Amino acid sequence: MPFNRSNHSKFLNPPILHDKLRIVKIKEIKSETPTIKSFTFVDEKCTETSPGQYVMVWIPGIDEIPMSLLRELNKNLMIAVKSIGGASAALHELKKGDVLGIRGPYGHGFTSITGNIMIVGGGIGIAPLVPLTKNLANPPTKITFILGATTHEELLFLDKIRMELSKNDGRIIVATEDGSFGFKGLATDPIEQLLKKQKFDMIFTCGPEKMMKKMFQLAEQYKTPIQASLERIMRCSIGLCGSCMIGKFRVCKDGPVFSSEQLREVKNEFGTFKRDFSGIKVKI
Amino acid sequence: MVGVNSTIEIAGLKLRNPVMLAAGVLGVTGFSLKRVAEAGAGAIVTKSIGIKPRDGYPNPTITETNCGLLNAMGLPNPGVEDFECELKIAKEGGVSVIASIFGASKEEFAYVGSVMEEAGADAIELNVSCPHTEVVALGQSPDLTSDVVETVKKGVDIPVFVKLTPNVTDIVLVAKSAERAGADAITCINTLRAMAVDVETGKPILANKVGGLSGPAIKPVAVRCVFEISKEVNIPVIGCGGITYWQDAVEFLLAGASAIQIGTAIAFRGLSVFKEITDGIQEYLSKKGYRNLKEIVGLSHKF
């Protein structure tokens, strides 16, 4: 009898993730702030990425790190990297034309919603909120974007956010810790007043975990749903190794974006401790 | 599936089903292990734990190949003292918790084993087989393996399993040596020593260059090891390596495994894989008219 594929049950199809590493060439490098550079490249598989998803970026021979993806014009993709030493510093040394390894996109991104939206970003955490804003910024959705940085110079992608919000009359509030732009203080400072005055349908946040924890507490207090994008040490990024656990969740696979319900389940860990490379708890 | 009994006893541990979590996967924290238990695993094996904290290798620690996953984590773990509280949380999952342990010497193995027993582990699984760290040298030698087994056995009252490496000329020799030294069960196999080089940059992808291959690619190797070992030893064999669907699990049982372990398949099929494979085995037993899982263990030996 001839071999007939259709006779085989679906269970016998070979299980493949299709997450093999792809090598991409860096098309453009731009200094966005004194400590943050953006890198542009093209990767067919990532063109359908949804906001909040990430890729693993291999700096050949050095390290591999998770990075949020921004979708640009002409199928270009962008990652924004803050130099904090190690792999990120090595990335900053790269030149146009150098190559990176990419696998992904991975993870559970932001869930879009229409209505009255608050977006709160701090530092490098603003990066994944830009494609989110692009997706949401269509009438009748109204966006209030609060972004914070240490200084005026370190404010990331303010122009991009302005451009997206110009489409629907959105509002931007800027906070800098040294007061060099916007008002002096943390991004979370003006938020309680806003929450007191109007009802928001969703808060989206990404940034330092202390900031996101504060946002979560405010969201709970004002009975507003929130989605927060978390960060932990990632190795496999496919939900296997367990390096990135927060409570029972794998940040790499169940996250990185978590809902209010999920955050409630991990409220003892969220904003309190993370784990180092060995798995030992360290304070946040 | 009324009347079909898919529970199994391994070295005195009563498992509600034979589908266990393999070592090294989702095993660093208590809550992660507990979640796997809640997803339906018959027993859970922890990440391999050593005497002191260890960071493991830098990334990339994992890369996909056409036929499986290649990893070299480098045994990252918080050390046995720190892990005690995780183990206690893992126990809340309500199934047997097997502590995977490793050490640089037999004395280290014995110490970590005894701390694990005190912390509540139901059994110990000796990792003498991680193919890209120093411990593999132990598992490649029948004598060193039996030394470790003997020393650990002296220090604990709970059952001691030994996880073997396929990266040897004759795995049966090592298995028999472990049995003679008092091992209560054999887990086989650990990953196969393997490598991937990126063709664009010419660089090895894994930071450690060499890693261990898991997933569908190694299943036939694992089935052969289970078959050969289970014919030659009188202790239970736990099959591991590329099990993704219930058919794979049944194949291992027929080859002589009393239980099986799942790792890589979680990446392909999610945590529901434990329940799906358990249901599949039950349905198979029922369809074939068996009343008891034990009836099919090693059934292929008669041919």
Side-chain angles (χ1 to χ4, degrees):
Chain A
M1 200 170 79
F3 180 78
N4 186 349
R5 237 180 196 288
S6 63
N7 283 346
H8 284 235
S9 83
K10 66 182 161 88
F11 292 116
L12 296 177
N13 287 336
I16 295 175
L17 292 167
H18 302 294
D19 275 339
K20 283 187 78 176
L21 186 81
R22 286 98 55 194
I23 297 293
V24 299
K25 198 168 267 191
I26 300 169
K27 284 177 74 175
E28 198 187 326
I29 301 174
K30 197 176 155 201
S31 284
E32 303 287 351
T33 81
T35 63
I36 300 170
K37 281 186 182 180
S38 66
F39 300 79
T40 306
F41 55 89
V42 176
D43 176 56
E44 198 59 42
K45 200 166 175 260
C46 286
T47 47
E48 296 305 312
T49 306
S50 63
Q53 284 194 299
Y54 65 97
V55 286
M56 291 300 282
V57 178
W58 181 44
I59 309 117
I62 308 279
D63 203 345
E64 187 187 42
I65 50 173
M67 298 294 322
S68 307
L69 268 184
L70 281 80
R71 286 162 66 182
E72 298 289 290
L73 294 172
N74 303 324
K75 287 197 170 180
N76 282 335
L77 299 161
M78 185 192 271
I79 53 171
V81 184
K82 187 179 173 75
S83 179
I84 52 163
S88 60
L91 247 166
H92 273 233
E93 295 298 311
L94 295 183
K95 307 265 178 307
K96 185 177 166 179
D98 286 344
V99 296
L100 297 170
I102 299 289
R103 59 187 180 99
Y106 294 122
H108 182 85
F110 292 106
T111 305
S112 290
I113 181 173
T114 53
N116 192 21
I117 306 293
M118 178 188 284
I119 303 179
V120 184
I124 188 71
I126 290 165
L129 300 172
V130 173
L132 173 74
T133 307
K134 193 182 282 189
N135 269 18
L136 297 179
N138 294 303
T141 290
K142 193 167 158 275
I143 297 176
T144 305
F145 200 127
I146 301 107
L147 67 164
T150 49
T151 65
H152 183 195
E153 288 184 307
E154 284 298 335
L155 267 174
L156 182 65
F157 294 147
L158 181 59
D159 293 350
K160 283 181 189 289
I161 294 162
R162 271 194 184 130
M163 197 182 78
E164 296 304 337
L165 290 191
S166 64
K167 286 185 230 163
N168 72 340
D169 202 23
R171 184 175 173 204
I172 299 179
I173 301 170
V174 177
T176 52
E177 284 172 37
D178 68 349
S180 52
F181 192 75
F183 74 90
K184 187 173 183 318
L186 299 173
T188 44
D189 293 347
I191 286 164
E192 188 153 11
Q193 288 305 319
L194 285 170
L195 287 168
K196 262 184 197 161
K197 272 188 236 154
Q198 41 175 314
K199 176 84 191 141
F200 287 90
D201 297 301
M202 182 66 76
I203 300 170
F204 295 95
T205 185
C206 184
E209 195 154 317
K210 285 275 182 216
M211 179 198 94
M212 292 194 288
K213 181 64 180 270
K214 174 84 183 160
M215 283 310 306
F216 172 64
Q217 285 163 342
L218 285 170
E220 291 291 88
Q221 192 185 333
Y222 288 92
K223 297 189 169 37
T224 308
I226 189 168
Q227 295 180 35
S229 178
L230 273 51
E231 192 175 20
R232 286 292 182 272
I233 285 175
M234 282 191 199
R235 286 192 175 99
C236 77
S237 70
I238 50 176
L240 270 186
C241 75
S243 302
C244 63
M245 301 302 298
I246 178 164
K248 67 174 192 178
F249 298 118
R250 301 163 291 182
V251 172
C252 75
K253 179 97 179 170
D254 304 312
V257 176
F258 291 96
S259 66
S260 302
E261 293 75 24
Q262 291 171 314
L263 293 171
R264 266 172 229 141
E265 285 192 64
V266 298
K267 63 172 191 278
N268 296 332
E269 282 191 40
F270 178 39
T272 307
F273 71 84
K274 55 186 179 180
R275 288 171 192 272
D276 68 8
F277 284 98
S278 74
I280 288 179
K281 293 173 188 172
V282 285
K283 270 185 83 168
I284 287 176
Chain B
M1 253 65 71
V2 184
V4 176
N5 180 1
S6 61
T7 62
I8 190 101
E9 199 177 307
I10 307 262
L13 303 187
K14 289 180 181 64
L15 274 52
R16 62 184 176 189
N17 67 61
V19 188
M20 304 165 62
L21 172 71
V25 175
L26 292 176
V28 195
T29 75
F31 286 117
S32 129
L33 285 159
K34 187 179 166 191
R35 180 171 170 194
V36 177
E38 284 164 359
I44 45 183
V45 185
T46 69
K47 176 88 187 154
S48 291
I49 304 294
I51 199 157
K52 54 180 195 294
R54 177 165 160 143
D55 282 351
Y57 303 135
N59 277 348
T61 44
I62 197 158
T63 189
E64 192 185 343
T65 72
N66 285 341
C67 44
L69 296 178
L70 196 51
N71 90 83
M73 297 287 166
L75 295 173
N77 80 94
V80 69
E81 259 85 42
D82 203 84
F83 192 74
E84 284 188 67
C85 62
E86 307 294 343
L87 199 135
K88 291 193 170 96
I89 297 168
K91 293 275 289 181
E92 294 169 11
V95 298
S96 293
V97 178
I98 295 135
S100 173
I101 65 169
F102 73 95
S105 63
K106 58 187 178 185
E107 290 78 19
E108 268 188 33
F109 268 98
Y111 174 74
V112 177
S114 60
V115 177
M116 287 296 195
E117 178 175 35
E118 249 170 65
D122 297 290
I124 301 288
E125 185 179 89
L126 306 176
N127 179 357
V128 292
S129 46
C130 174
H132 45 80
T133 57
E134 60 281 8
V135 299
V136 74
L138 300 171
Q140 284 173 330
S141 154
D143 292 343
L144 293 176
T145 300
S146 68
D147 261 8
V148 173
V149 174
E150 240 175 64
T151 314
V152 175
K153 280 293 285 182
K154 270 184 213 149
V156 299
D157 293 323
I158 50 178
V160 175
F161 306 169
V162 190
K163 186 163 180 179
L164 299 185
T165 172
N167 305 302
V168 289
T169 313
D170 187 354
I171 196 170
V172 176
L173 275 183
V174 189
K176 284 164 90 169
S177 183
E179 182 185 32
R180 272 196 304 273
D184 298 285
I186 301 284
T187 304
C188 67
I189 54 178
N190 207 314
T191 53
L192 268 81
R193 206 167 147 79
M195 187 173 179
V197 176
D198 171 56
V199 296
E200 284 298 321
T201 59
K203 290 182 173 148
I205 298 176
L206 295 176
N208 189 55
K209 298 184 179 75
V210 168
L213 182 65
S214 66
I218 71 164
K219 197 195 82 177
V221 178
V223 170
R224 183 268 300 171
C225 291
V226 166
F227 183 84
E228 288 181 352
I229 292 171
S230 60
K231 275 179 128 173
E232 298 291 330
V233 301
N234 295 308
I235 49 177
V237 174
I238 301 163
C240 181
I243 297 166
T244 312
Y245 301 114
W246 68 261
Q247 289 93 331
D248 303 326
V250 168
E251 189 178 348
F252 274 81
L253 297 168
L254 293 168
S258 299
I260 55 109
Q261 294 180 351
I262 304 283
T264 303
I266 295 170
F268 298 125
R269 305 194 56 212
L271 286 166
S272 60
V273 70
F274 290 96
K275 195 174 178 312
E276 285 162 19
I277 289 182
T278 303
D279 290 350
I281 294 171
Q282 281 210 338
E283 208 168 305
Y284 173 86
L285 293 173
S286 163
K287 263 190 196 156
K288 292 278 187 182
Y290 297 110
R291 306 283 298 273
N292 208 310
L293 182 77
K294 272 180 276 185
E295 291 174 59
I296 68 163
V297 173
L299 210 56
S300 69
H301 290 185
K302 66 181 179 192
F303 298 108

